[in-house]
Amino acid sequence: MDQELYSKERSASLDLLLRFQRLLISKLYPADCVGQVPNTYSPDLLGVGSLLKKYSALLCTHIGDILPVATSIACTSHRHFAEVSRVVDGDLTGILLPELVVSIVLLLSKNAGLMQEAGAIPLLAGLLEHLDRFNHLAPGKERDDNEDLAWPGIMGSFFTGQSCRNNEEVTLIRKADLENHNKDGGFWTVIDGKVYDIKDFQTQSLTGSSIL
């Protein structure tokens, strides 16, 4: 039901393109054949692969024209980015491209030789720079990148605001800093995302460093 409702919101031409794209993918999807010689493809299959390449070239050309314009408008403000994203999401970029990428990855895992013959993958790779520039305008992108790159447990509470102190008062210690400090004779350890200096306790403990 959701698919039918979403289909009604699309234009007839866009819906036709999506059906055509799915038809191409289904024709290329390998059937379970017995006795087929590996890496040999029928002329019909190669023809469908060539058609997929032409289709991908036209789609990539359109998206390559649209995304730079969308990026130039979206960089104005967060509100502009939200509006542009809504438009792009209803365009070929948001409807055809995601499904095409997933489908080609699936076909590549099933029959890499045929996809190399088709040659559609390099065309899609040409869109990466345009997509990357647009995605970098997303609000909160820097925070998300920091959370992805942060050492788990150390910076998580810093970004989620769970620390009871102000952000300026929180000293962030990178994993490399901790390792270098311990190599120089220090004894820092991490418990629940906080770094503790237990050097003094080490000299008093009877259990030895391995237990600590």
Side-chain angles (χ1 to χ4, degrees):
M1 293 176 62
D2 292 339
Q3 185 176 2
E4 291 179 1
L5 178 62
Y6 188 55
S7 178
K8 292 178 181 178
E9 297 175 355
R10 292 194 302 258
S11 65
S13 58
L14 189 56
D15 193 62
L16 184 62
L17 280 174
L18 183 59
R19 292 173 182 270
F20 175 72
Q21 176 177 297
R22 290 174 176 174
L23 179 62
L24 284 177
I25 298 299
S26 66
K27 293 294 184 181
L28 289 171
Y29 196 83
D32 295 329
C33 304
V34 179
Q36 181 177 358
V37 181
N39 298 326
T40 58
Y41 311 109
S42 66
D44 290 343
L45 200 59
L46 292 174
V48 176
S50 177
L51 192 57
L52 176 65
K53 182 179 180 179
K54 293 179 181 179
Y55 169 80
S56 301
L58 291 172
L59 181 63
C60 291
T61 299
H62 170 79
I63 296 175
D65 293 338
I66 291 293
L67 281 180
V69 178
T71 301
S72 64
I73 299 174
C75 68
T76 307
S77 67
H78 291 340
R79 181 178 179 182
H80 284 80
F81 179 84
E83 289 298 320
V84 170
S85 297
R86 183 182 60 82
V87 174
V88 170
D89 191 49
D91 183 64
L92 304 181
T93 309
I95 296 177
L96 300 181
L97 182 62
E99 187 171 313
L100 179 62
V101 171
V102 172
S103 300
I104 288 183
V105 170
L106 179 61
L107 287 171
L108 187 62
S109 66
K110 293 290 185 179
N111 198 332
L114 178 59
M115 295 311 299
Q116 290 177 356
E117 289 283 342
I121 296 176
L123 297 172
L124 293 173
L127 295 176
L128 289 177
E129 185 176 351
H130 295 303
L131 291 168
D132 195 49
R133 287 177 181 174
F134 183 78
N135 289 332
H136 269 72
L137 299 175
K141 187 270 304 179
E142 293 181 0
R143 181 195 62 201
D144 293 339
D145 285 349
N146 287 330
E147 288 179 345
D148 291 339
L149 296 174
W151 187 22
I154 294 295
M155 300 180 73
S157 60
F158 174 76
F159 286 107
T160 55
Q162 296 175 356
S163 176
C164 60
R165 295 177 293 177
N166 293 330
N167 292 344
E168 292 79 12
E169 299 175 357
V170 178
T171 300
L172 301 180
I173 299 176
R174 298 176 303 170
K175 186 177 181 181
D177 296 333
L178 184 141
E179 293 174 346
N180 291 332
H181 178 81
N182 289 346
K183 287 179 181 178
D184 294 337
F187 209 141
W188 286 355
T189 186
V190 181
I191 302 174
D192 293 334
K194 295 181 177 61
V195 178
Y196 295 90
D197 188 350
I198 58 174
K199 179 69 176 177
D200 294 339
F201 182 75
Q202 178 192 14
T203 59
Q204 301 172 10
S205 174
L206 301 176
T207 58
S209 299
S210 59
I211 301 297
L212 292 178

